[in-house]
């Protein structure tokens, strides 16, 4: 296999993993009735709503366009994972971890952008704290999944 083929396979794999993680985060809000776990679903919808404001209402095609939005975010996450993979010195990561970490990082960035928007508009301060905290937590989880931060979860021998 030549290098170009390997890169495109890993990019497609990362895009598929990231899209699956994003779809899982979206579905989490409907499957779990615990409000803190519903926040990523809300943030994904807020990100799509921002695109609707910029480009016009999705109307009857909302579901199809939202699915395309999740796939598009998955492709962006795969690009992030590719850059991280090329610059990282860690070679012991499982194949799925960078795609998943990039997806979590994208939702974290969306959360921080939402917090910044609410802060600038000066409406309320509580959503800024909630969205900022969620964004920080998602970025921290992304760093852990992506192997940037090592946390010992079991005792070493």
């Amino acid at each position: 296999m030549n290098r170009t083929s390997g890169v495109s396979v890993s990019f497609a794999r990362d895009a598929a993993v990231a899209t699956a993680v994003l779809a899982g985060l979206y579905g989490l809000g409907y499957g779990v009735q615990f409000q803190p776990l519903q926040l990523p679903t809300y943030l994904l919808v807020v990100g799509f709503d921002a695109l609707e404001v910029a480009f016009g209402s999705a109307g009857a095609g909302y579901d199809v366009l939202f699915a395309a939005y999740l796939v598009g975010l998955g492709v962006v996450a795969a690009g992030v994972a590719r850059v991280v993979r090329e610059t990282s010195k860690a070679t012991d990561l499982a194949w799925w971890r960078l795609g998943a970490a990039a997806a979590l990082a994208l939702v974290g960035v969306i959360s921080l952008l939402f917090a910044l928007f609410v802060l600038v508009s000066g409406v309320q301060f509580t959503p800024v704290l909630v969205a900022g905290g969620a964004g920080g937590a998602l970025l921290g989880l992304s760093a852990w999944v992506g192997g940037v931060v090592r946390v010992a979860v079991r005792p070493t021998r």
Side-chain angles (χ1 to χ4, degrees):
M1 174 176 7
N2 62 21
R3 174 143 169 82
T4 306
S5 177
V7 168
S8 63
V9 168
S10 66
F11 184 83
R13 183 183 60 214
D14 288 339
V17 168
T19 301
V21 168
L22 292 166
L25 287 174
Y26 179 72
L28 189 65
Y30 294 103
V32 177
Q33 297 304 312
F34 181 59
Q35 286 186 349
L37 294 179
Q38 293 176 336
L39 193 56
T41 301
Y42 175 74
L43 294 168
L44 288 169
V45 171
V46 164
F48 184 71
D49 288 347
L51 291 177
E52 277 191 306
V53 167
F55 297 111
S57 176
Y62 184 89
D63 292 335
V64 172
L65 290 175
F66 189 80
Y69 163 72
L70 289 180
V71 171
L73 283 179
V75 169
V76 170
V80 170
R82 180 177 178 187
V83 169
V84 170
R85 181 175 281 114
E86 289 175 353
T87 59
S88 176
K89 293 182 173 91
T91 58
D92 61 338
L93 291 177
W95 62 269
W96 57 270
R97 287 181 65 174
L98 283 179
L104 292 169
L106 277 180
V107 178
V109 168
I110 290 171
S111 183
L112 292 176
L113 289 173
F114 175 71
L116 181 64
F117 174 75
V118 172
L119 181 66
V120 169
S121 65
V123 179
Q124 294 179 357
F125 195 66
T126 302
V128 173
L129 293 176
V130 170
L138 285 165
L139 288 174
L141 182 60
S142 170
W144 178 65
V145 170
V148 174
V149 175
R150 304 258 181 191
V151 178
V153 291
R154 43 189 125 115
T156 58
R157 295 180 185 192

